[in-house]
């Protein structure tokens, strides 16, 4: 006797979208410029993952950072908010972002580095930012640190 069997397997795809953005919110930046440096305490950094989608919906976002020379990585809890505002400590900071869908499929980890310096002088914080500058976070191996790049 001969027989046959068939089974359809559906594989969950990871969420897809454009690289997340790391943006210093500053009134001092030129229009369209991408500030990758800011002042500790005074400059607000916004990490955002806009325009991400997945057939399964229910997207969640996780953000974090690590100060160069520090062995601890600060990872925030998964959230339905596609952005996070941070005031960072001084140093070279590696930012991380990741997106997951309702079934748990994960995007690659996206990383970028920014430089945060000691504030030269006190200044008044703007009540509403007059300009936002952008820097892309790129897909990388989670162990990769350095200039913006896309790993294979």
């Amino acid at each position: 006797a001969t027989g046959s069997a068939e089974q359809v397997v559906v594989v969950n795809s990871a969420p897809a979208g454009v690289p997340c953005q790391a943006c210093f919110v500053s009134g001092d930046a030129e229009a369209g410029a991408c500030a990758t440096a800011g002042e500790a305490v005074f400059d607000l950094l916004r990490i955002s993952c806009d325009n991400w989608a997945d057939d399964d919906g229910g997207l969640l976002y996780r953000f974090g950072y690590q100060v160069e020379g520090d062995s601890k990585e600060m990872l925030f809890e998964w959230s339905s908010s596609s952005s996070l505002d941070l005031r960072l400590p001084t140093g070279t900071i590696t930012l991380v972002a990741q997106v997951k869908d309702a079934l748990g499929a994960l995007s690659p980890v996206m990383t970028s580095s920014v430089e945060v310096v000691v504030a030269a002088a006190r200044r008044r914080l703007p009540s509403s930012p007059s300009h936002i500058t952008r820097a892309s976070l790129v897909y990388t191996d989670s162990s990769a640190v350095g200039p913006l790049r896309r790993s294979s």
Side-chain angles (χ1 to χ4, degrees), residues 49-63:
C49 296
D50 297 326
N51 302 315
W52 278 77
D54 187 88
D55 292 338
D56 302 313
L59 293 179
L60 294 174
Y61 305 85
R62 180 171 61 183
F63 304 101

Side-chain angles (χ1 to χ4, degrees), residues 66 73 94 96 109-111 139-146 149 151:
Q66 184 171 12
E73 181 178 40
T94 299
V96 297
V109 173
M110 293 165 272
T111 65
Y139 300 106
T140 63
D141 178 316
S142 61
S143 64
V145 176
R149 61 179 183 257
S151 67

Side-chain angles (χ1 to χ4, degrees), residues 39-103:
E39 293 181 339
V41 180
F42 295 111
D43 289 331
L44 182 69
L45 180 86
R46 179 171 297 139
I47 306 173
S48 59
C49 296
D50 297 326
N51 302 315
W52 278 77
D54 187 88
D55 292 338
D56 302 313
L59 293 179
L60 294 174
Y61 305 85
R62 180 171 61 183
F63 304 101
Y65 68 90
Q66 184 171 12
V67 180
E68 185 176 272
D70 189 346
S71 62
K72 294 180 185 175
E73 181 178 40
M74 173 65 72
L75 278 178
F76 297 94
E77 294 292 322
W78 289 100
S79 167
S80 59
S81 176
S82 64
S83 66
L84 177 69
D85 290 347
L86 297 168
R87 295 205 190 277
L88 296 168
T90 58
T92 300
I93 312 289
T94 299
L95 306 167
V96 297
Q98 193 170 31
V99 183
K100 78 174 176 179
D101 69 16
L103 299 178

